[in-house]
Amino acid sequence: MNRPLIGLTGWRVDADGADVLTLAAELGADGVQLDLGGPGRGAPLDEPGRVRRIRETSAATGVRVLGVAVNLMNDIGLTSADPAVVRRTVTRALDAARELEAPLVFVPSFRRSAITGPASLSATAEVLRWASAEAAARGLLLANENVLDVPAAERLLDQVGAESFRLLLDTANPHQAGVDVAALVAALGDRFADQIHVKDGGDTESALAAVRARGGHVRALVLENDHRDGDRERLRVDLARLRGHADTLTRRPSEARP
């Protein structure tokens, strides 16, 4: 397995827009995931001139845009809001990702978009099926981040039923919800996107050991600890730890044992 890229999440640092890429370059990170933004979540990613500035900064620094998050869906609800609002918001994220040459758009299922049972799972799958077709038409992958266990995650994947759809692996969120992340990876490894969120609050070592054992390509490990306080030393420490995790993914399982 090639060494994964090291990424930052723009919504978890004290920078915005093109400044996230500048910060990533200063810290030696390879890429960033950016948020679509919106009310309470910063300036819209697709406001006039913003995509152009990000593209220029990417070209100047070599830092690539790895993905676009639609975190606004946690506020408005993927299935509970006006369908036209949902489709318009997701479409904006897909169009911005295409312009930024980002391969991935992901929609989280937390708070108002939480999947709480069979009915909401089916309703979520219906929206994601449409969004996956829109992603495929733009040459993109669409992913969903959630805290479903293996059986429920399999049902979601099957109900969406799209080659352009993946789950987004987070090393902490499912663990905090009582889900065995290593078991998720073992069962669904090739149905996860090739970018992984890494943050405190889970068992990162076990999760990444399962990723390594399962095999497959990992494009990027993306740091999602909260660094909005501007503590650069803590951010450097976390990135160094993330690079260590990336190094373990390049070794065979026997080589990674202490």
Side-chain angles (χ1 to χ4, degrees):
M1 184 184 295
N2 294 328
R3 186 181 186 276
L5 302 175
I6 298 299
L8 293 179
T9 44
W11 58 95
R12 302 287 274 178
V13 296
D14 64 328
D16 192 38
D19 291 341
V20 179
L21 282 74
T22 301
L23 174 62
E26 292 172 355
L27 295 169
D30 304 299
V32 300
Q33 292 178 347
L34 299 175
D35 187 24
L36 179 64
R41 293 189 176 273
L45 184 61
D46 56 352
E47 72 178 8
R50 194 172 179 85
V51 165
R52 176 183 54 79
R53 290 191 296 273
I54 292 170
R55 286 176 59 94
E56 290 172 351
T57 305
S58 178
T61 61
V63 173
R64 65 197 71 183
V65 181
L66 298 169
V68 173
V70 196
N71 289 321
L72 191 61
M73 281 302 145
N74 289 334
D75 304 330
I76 66 177
L78 190 63
T79 62
S80 60
D82 180 343
V85 171
V86 171
R87 291 194 173 209
R88 184 165 59 247
T89 303
V90 173
T91 298
R92 288 174 50 217
L94 292 168
D95 288 343
R98 181 174 57 182
E99 289 188 58
L100 292 168
E101 299 181 354
L104 179 70
V105 171
F106 55 96
V107 181
S109 284
F110 304 113
R111 298 179 58 231
R112 291 189 177 179
S113 289
I115 300 171
T116 57
S120 63
L121 188 149
S122 294
T124 297
E126 182 178 356
V127 177
L128 294 176
R129 191 181 311 116
W130 162 82
S132 296
E134 293 293 316
R138 294 166 174 79
L140 305 172
L141 283 179
L142 182 88
N144 176 244
E145 183 180 359
N146 57 59
V147 292
L148 299 177
D149 61 13
V150 171
E154 288 178 331
R155 285 195 297 273
L156 180 67
L157 285 157
D158 291 344
Q159 288 186 32
V160 175
E163 288 294 324
S164 57
F165 179 68
R166 300 288 189 276
L167 300 178
L168 183 72
L169 179 62
D170 186 290
T171 63
N173 290 339
H175 174 84
Q176 292 170 356
V179 175
D180 185 336
V181 181
L184 273 176
V185 173
L188 305 171
D190 61 353
R191 303 180 84 175
F192 282 107
D194 60 6
Q195 301 183 37
I196 300 173
H197 281 175
V198 177
K199 62 173 174 281
D200 296 339
D203 188 347
T204 297
E205 287 74 15
S206 291
L208 294 183
V211 170
R212 185 175 60 250
R214 187 68 170 74
H217 174 62
V218 177
R219 182 192 298 263
L221 297 183
V222 185
L223 182 66
E224 207 188 5
N225 283 342
D226 191 347
H227 288 282
R228 288 172 292 180
D229 62 2
D231 185 340
R232 292 289 181 265
E233 183 55 33
R234 185 169 64 87
L235 181 51
R236 289 187 178 91
V237 168
D238 279 358
L239 283 172
R241 186 182 304 117
L242 193 66
R243 292 186 184 96
H245 290 314
D247 288 340
T248 68
L249 291 179
T250 67
R251 307 171 193 160
R252 294 190 299 271
S254 60
E255 295 176 328
R257 295 188 189 112

